Amino acid sequence: MSAEQVILINLLLYFIGFSLLLFKRNTLSEQSVGLLSISLNVVGVLFSMGISINNGSGYVIHLDWFHFGSTTFAIDILLNELTFMMFFLVQFIALWVQVFSMRYMSGDTDFGRYYAYINLFVLAMLGIVISGNLLMIYIFWELVGLCSYLLIGFWYEKQSATNAAKKAFLVNRVGDVGFLIGIFLVYRYFGTFDISLIAEKAKLLSAEAFGSPVITTMGLLIFCGCVAKSAQLPLQAWLPDAMEGPTPVSALIHAATMVAAGIFLMARVYPLLNPDALLVMALVGIFTALLGALSALNQYDIKKLLAYSTISQLGLMVVALGTGAVNAALFHLLTHAFFKAGLFLSAGAVIHYTHHQQDMRQMGNLRGQMPVIFYCYTICAAALAGIPFFSGFLSKDAIIVAAFDWASHQSSTAAYILPVCTLVVSGLSAFYMMRQVYLVFLDYEDNPVELISSGAISLYKRLTRRIEGIVNVDDNPDEDDKLIIEHFYETMQEMGPMEWSVLVMAVASIGFVFSVNPFYAESSWFFESFPHHSGGFHWMALIAMLVSAAGLWLGYRYTREERAAIDQFKTQPDGMFNRLIFHNFYLSEIYQIVFVNPVLSISPYIQKFDVVVIDGIVNLSARLMLLISELVSWIEQNIIDGFVNFVANSTVKMGSYTRQIQNGKAQTYMITIFVCLVLLIVYLIV
C-alpha cells in the first residue's frame, strides 16, 4: 500500500475506535475498552514506523473535495519528513498515555468515554499533521479544540473542571478568529490554500513585496492560532487551568498534541513569514518563556508547575522559529514531547499514590516508596533543566546557539538581550525542577547530588555485576549477586502500566538516544533529516551548562530553606513579587477586569435590550403576521370561497331547473318548443 493509503486507513481506525467506544461505553468492560483502544494505537504506531522507513517524501496528494463556482477545493495530503516524524510522535506518546491510563483511570464510571475522546483527539491531531492546505488544517485545528474542551472538562461534575474547559475553549477561539482571517487573506493574495504552492509563490516574490505589510499581516494573523494553541503571551492563561482534566490528558496535551500544534503550524508556513513577522514572534516567544519560567518558580501544585514550564518551553520554541532556527525548534518539540510526557505521567503516578493530592508541600520523601518513578522523574527533570547527557540539553543548546548566531547578524547589539534571556530561562528551568524534585521525592536532610550520584553508581555496579554474571555464567553466585538478582526481579514484577509508561519516556529523554556526542546537538540523527547550521557559537554550550548548574544549586539552597519553614496552609506565598509570579502576573485577573467584568456588567442592559427591543420586534412581527393571516383567512373564506360557492350553488340551481325539462314527457317538450318559438318571434318583432 502507498503511504497515503496507510495514513487514511490509520485515521479511519481511530474514527472507528472513537465511534465504537462512545456508543458501547456502557456495555464494554474496562479491559475490553483498554485493549481495543491500545490495539488500535499499536497498529497506528506500526503504520507510522512503516511509512517512515519506506517513504518517498516531499510530495503532495490532491483529491478533489467540492466545487464552488469555477474554484475547486481539494483535500491535500503533504508527505515529508516533518509529517512522518509528527505522525509517529503523536501516536507513540498517545500509546503510552493510554497504557498509563489503564491504571490511573481504573474504576472511573466514564472509562469508555475517556478512551473514546482520546481516540478522537489523536485523530484530530493526525489530521493536522497530514494536512497539505490551510483549510484542512483549520478544520482539524477546531476539532482539536473541541477534544481539548471535552477532555479538560471530562469530570464535568466539578465546577472547576467545567470552568477550565470553557476558558480553554473561549481563549482558543480568540486566536482562531485571527487564524481564520489570516487563511482568507492568504487565499485572497495567493489564490490557493495549498501550503506547497503558497511557499513556491512566496519565494517568487520580490524583496519589496515579501517585506510588505500585507505579507507581515498574513504571517501575524496565522501566528494568532499558534499564540492560542501553544499558550503564548497574551493568550496563555488557559493552560494552567487545563490541569483540571485527568493527568494523562495533561501529558497528551502538553507533550505531542494540542500545544505542539501551534509550533508545527508555524514550521509548516515558515516560507510565508517575513523578517518583521519573525521578529514579532521572537519577542512574543521570549516574553512568554520568561513569564512562564518565573510563574513556575514558587507554585505549590505539582501539575501547575509543569504547566507553566510547558508555557516557558513553548516560548523557547517560538524564539527559535523567530530567529530562523526552525529545525532547532522542531528538535526541542521532539525532545520536549518525551521528557514532558514523562514528567506529567510521573506526576500522575505520584498523585495516584497520594490519593489525588497535588500540593507538593504535602508530599516529600517519596523516593523510597516510589523508586522507579523517582529515578524516571529525575531523568526527565534533568532533561528539562538542560543537564548534559540528557536530551533537553541538546535541543536547548541548539536554540541558545542559534539565538546568539541570530543576534550576531543584527544591526544593534541590543539584539543580544534575546539570547541572554534564553540562558536565563534555562537557568530558571533548572531552579524550579530542582525545587519540585526536592519537595516531592526528597527529605529535608537529603542532599540531591549525593543521592543521585550514589544511586547512579549503585545502579552502574548492579548492572555491571549482572552483565558479568550473564557473560561468565557463574553457577554458584554469591549472596550479593543473589540479592541483586532477586531485587531486580522483584522490581520488574512490581512494575505496572504506570511505571512502564514512565520508564519508556525516561529512556527516550536520555541524550544518547539522539546523539552519540551528548555535548554537540548537530551530531544528532535528527539534524541529518532536518539540517541545521548554527554558526560559530558552539562554545555557548559550556555557558549553558554553567547556567543550568547554577540554577540547580540555587534551587537546592532555596528549597532546603523553604522546606524548613514551609507553611502547608498558605494559599499563596509572602511578598509582592512572589505573589505576582505565583498568580502568573495576574493575567487572568486582568482579563477578568478588562474583558469579562465589563461584559457581565452590561449584560443586564443587554438582556433588557434583548427583551424589550429584540423580543419586542420579534413579538410585534409575530402579531402582525397573525393579523395578516386572519385577514387573509377572512378574504379566503368570505370572498374567494364565497365566490366559488356562489358559482357552485348557481350551477346547482340552474341544473335543477333545466333538469325538469328533460322529464321524458312529450307534452312538456311541445310546450317548451312552443314557448321558445313565441320568445323567438317576440325577439324578432321587437
Side-chain angles (χ1 to χ4, degrees):
M1 289 189 293
S2 62
E4 61 272 18
Q5 290 175 326
V6 172
I7 288 172
L8 293 175
I9 291 172
N10 197 356
L11 296 182
L12 181 61
L13 289 176
Y14 282 114
F15 181 75
I16 292 172
F18 161 70
S19 304
L20 184 61
L21 292 174
L22 187 63
F23 291 105
K24 295 293 184 180
R25 63 187 183 276
N26 296 324
T27 57
L28 295 174
S29 65
E30 288 187 2
Q31 290 77 9
S32 300
V33 168
L35 181 61
L36 173 61
S37 186
I38 292 172
S39 298
L40 293 175
N41 209 154
V42 169
V43 172
V45 171
L46 295 176
F47 279 174
S48 65
M49 293 172 65
I51 61 175
S52 297
I53 295 171
N54 304 305
N55 70 83
S57 61
Y59 62 96
V60 182
I61 300 163
H62 298 277
L63 302 172
D64 288 349
W65 186 10
F66 65 92
H67 302 277
F68 188 78
S70 59
T71 305
T72 300
F73 292 89
I75 295 174
D76 298 317
I77 301 176
L78 176 57
L79 300 177
N80 57 17
E81 288 82 0
L82 180 56
T83 302
F84 298 128
M85 184 195 81
M86 291 298 296
F87 201 78
F88 169 78
L89 179 65
V90 170
Q91 297 189 87
F92 185 78
I93 299 293
L95 171 63
W96 292 103
V97 166
Q98 292 193 67
V99 171
F100 183 92
S101 299
M102 283 293 292
R103 176 74 180 277
Y104 189 87
M105 297 298 293
S106 179
D108 194 289
T109 55
D110 289 316
F111 191 86
R113 180 167 62 90
Y114 170 82
Y115 272 91
Y117 290 166
I118 291 288
N119 278 266
L120 185 62
F121 205 167
V122 176
L123 167 65
M125 186 61 198
L126 293 179
I128 293 176
V129 167
I130 67 169
S131 295
N133 69 58
L134 291 173
L135 185 60
M136 272 183 66
I137 286 179
Y138 189 78
I139 291 170
F140 287 108
W141 190 272
E142 294 304 306
L143 185 56
V144 166
L146 171 63
C147 293
S148 67
Y149 170 79
L150 295 173
L151 286 168
I152 293 169
F154 178 77
W155 287 317
Y156 55 83
E157 301 89 350
K158 294 167 55 180
Q159 186 64 40
S160 57
T162 56
N163 289 342
K166 288 187 288 186
K167 185 174 182 179
F169 189 82
L170 293 174
V171 171
N172 273 274
R173 298 293 75 71
V174 173
D176 292 353
V177 168
F179 182 25
L180 183 61
I181 295 172
I183 291 174
F184 290 149
L185 186 59
V186 169
Y187 184 78
R188 177 71 179 82
Y189 192 88
F190 292 102
T192 182
F193 292 117
D194 190 320
I195 295 173
S196 299
L197 290 178
I198 292 169
E200 292 176 6
K201 292 183 178 182
K203 291 177 182 177
L204 297 176
L205 293 174
S206 64
E208 183 180 356
F210 188 66
S212 66
V214 176
I215 300 296
T216 303
T217 304
M218 285 181 197
L220 293 179
L221 284 172
I222 293 176
F223 180 56
C224 286
C226 174
V227 168
K229 274 286 190 292
S230 295
Q232 298 298 289
L233 192 72
L235 299 180
Q236 82 273 40
W238 68 270
L239 193 57
D241 291 345
M243 298 302 97
E244 292 292 337
T247 304
V249 169
S250 301
L252 192 59
I253 289 177
H254 287 250
T257 52
M258 185 170 179
V259 298
I263 308 301
F264 175 82
L265 170 67
M266 301 317 294
R268 275 281 199 241
V269 302
Y270 186 78
L272 187 61
L273 305 175
N274 65 14
D276 292 335
L278 291 173
L279 179 60
V280 173
M281 288 173 56
L283 293 175
V284 169
I286 199 60
F287 278 114
T288 303
L290 281 171
L291 296 184
L294 288 171
S295 297
L297 291 179
N298 58 3
Q299 294 297 318
Y300 300 144
D301 189 300
I302 186 173
K303 290 173 64 178
K304 276 197 173 182
L305 186 150
L306 295 176
Y308 285 117
S309 168
T310 298
I311 294 172
S312 181
Q313 299 305 307
L314 291 169
L316 287 178
M317 297 176 207
V318 173
V319 168
L321 290 168
T323 55
V326 182
N327 292 341
L330 293 175
F331 187 31
H332 196 50
L333 173 64
L334 176 65
T335 61
H336 179 266
F338 292 120
F339 64 69
K340 187 51 64 73
L343 288 169
F344 266 108
L345 293 180
S346 298
V350 170
I351 293 169
H352 187 269
Y353 181 81
T354 57
H355 306 289
H356 295 278
Q357 174 62 255
Q358 294 185 203
D359 191 334
M360 294 186 293
R361 296 171 298 175
Q362 307 290 335
M363 301 175 188
N365 203 27
L366 292 178
R367 65 180 180 86
Q369 303 168 55
M370 309 177 71
V372 174
I373 299 298
F374 166 65
Y375 284 111
C376 292
Y377 199 96
T378 303
I379 290 171
C380 295
L384 175 54
I387 305 302
F389 301 105
F390 299 97
S391 62
F393 170 79
L394 292 169
S395 54
K396 274 189 178 181
D397 174 48
I399 293 174
I400 292 170
V401 170
F404 274 96
D405 184 61
W406 170 85
S408 69
H409 291 87
Q410 305 305 306
S411 58
S412 174
T413 55
Y416 281 98
I417 295 174
L418 189 143
V420 169
C421 287
T422 61
L423 281 174
V424 172
V425 171
S426 182
L428 293 174
S429 302
F431 181 97
Y432 60 67
M433 290 315 301
M434 171 57 79
R435 176 176 176 268
Q436 188 173 54
V437 171
Y438 201 128
L439 289 177
V440 175
F441 292 102
L442 306 183
D443 195 23
Y444 174 69
E445 299 296 334
D446 289 335
N447 185 326
V449 176
E450 293 179 1
L451 281 174
I452 294 170
S453 60
S454 62
I457 293 170
S458 175
L459 179 63
Y460 172 76
K461 289 181 177 179
R462 289 181 178 182
L463 288 175
T464 303
R465 295 185 69 175
R466 179 62 181 146
I467 293 170
E468 288 176 352
I470 295 173
V471 173
N472 297 330
V473 193
D474 189 0
D475 294 329
N476 299 306
D478 58 22
E479 292 298 323
D480 290 340
D481 288 336
K482 289 181 180 179
L483 290 174
I484 292 171
I485 295 170
E486 289 177 4
H487 181 72
F488 175 78
Y489 283 117
E490 286 177 3
T491 304
M492 294 293 291
Q493 290 174 356
E494 291 174 359
M495 288 178 62
M498 288 184 175
E499 288 78 10
W500 281 111
S501 302
V502 174
L503 181 60
V504 170
M505 296 298 108
V507 170
S509 300
I510 297 173
F512 291 109
V513 173
F514 297 92
S515 175
V516 176
N517 183 350
F519 298 100
Y520 187 55
E522 290 185 24
S523 65
S524 167
W525 57 261
F526 178 87
F527 287 124
E528 293 180 4
S529 300
F530 301 89
H532 172 70
H533 302 286
S534 55
F537 285 85
H538 297 292
W539 53 270
M540 287 304 304
L542 178 61
I543 305 298
M545 284 191 286
L546 295 176
V547 169
S548 295
L552 290 175
W553 183 77
L554 291 172
Y556 165 68
R557 291 295 301 271
Y558 172 83
T559 311
R560 187 180 178 88
E561 295 176 3
E562 181 187 16
R563 171 69 81 182
I566 202 162
D567 186 347
Q568 299 180 351
F569 301 101
K570 279 185 179 179
T571 57
Q572 58 184 359
D574 297 326
M576 185 178 67
F577 180 73
N578 286 333
R579 291 183 180 182
L580 183 66
I581 62 176
F582 180 80
H583 292 287
N584 191 27
F585 297 87
Y586 292 99
L587 285 175
S588 294
E589 288 77 7
I590 291 172
Y591 296 152
Q592 186 76 24
I593 294 171
V594 175
F595 298 109
V596 179
N597 288 346
V599 173
L600 292 177
S601 63
I602 65 173
S603 61
Y605 303 102
I606 296 175
Q607 184 181 14
K608 189 173 183 180
F609 177 81
D610 179 54
V611 172
V612 175
V613 179
I614 306 298
D615 289 353
I617 293 173
V618 172
N619 293 333
L620 179 61
S621 301
R623 292 192 184 96
L624 288 174
M625 292 302 297
L626 286 173
L627 289 174
I628 293 171
S629 65
E630 290 177 359
L631 178 62
V632 170
S633 177
W634 184 88
I635 292 172
E636 182 182 5
Q637 292 177 3
N638 294 278
I639 297 178
I640 297 176
D641 289 353
F643 176 75
V644 172
N645 293 333
F646 171 75
V647 172
N649 293 334
S650 299
T651 304
V652 170
K653 289 181 179 180
M654 290 178 62
S656 64
Y657 293 145
T658 56
R659 188 167 58 245
Q660 296 177 6
I661 299 174
Q662 300 293 330
N663 57 9
K665 296 179 180 180
Q667 57 270 30
T668 302
Y669 299 154
M670 293 178 65
I671 292 172
T672 302
I673 294 171
F674 176 75
V675 171
C676 290
L677 288 173
V678 170
L679 292 174
L680 180 61
I681 292 170
V682 171
Y683 174 75
L684 292 174
I685 293 174
V686 174

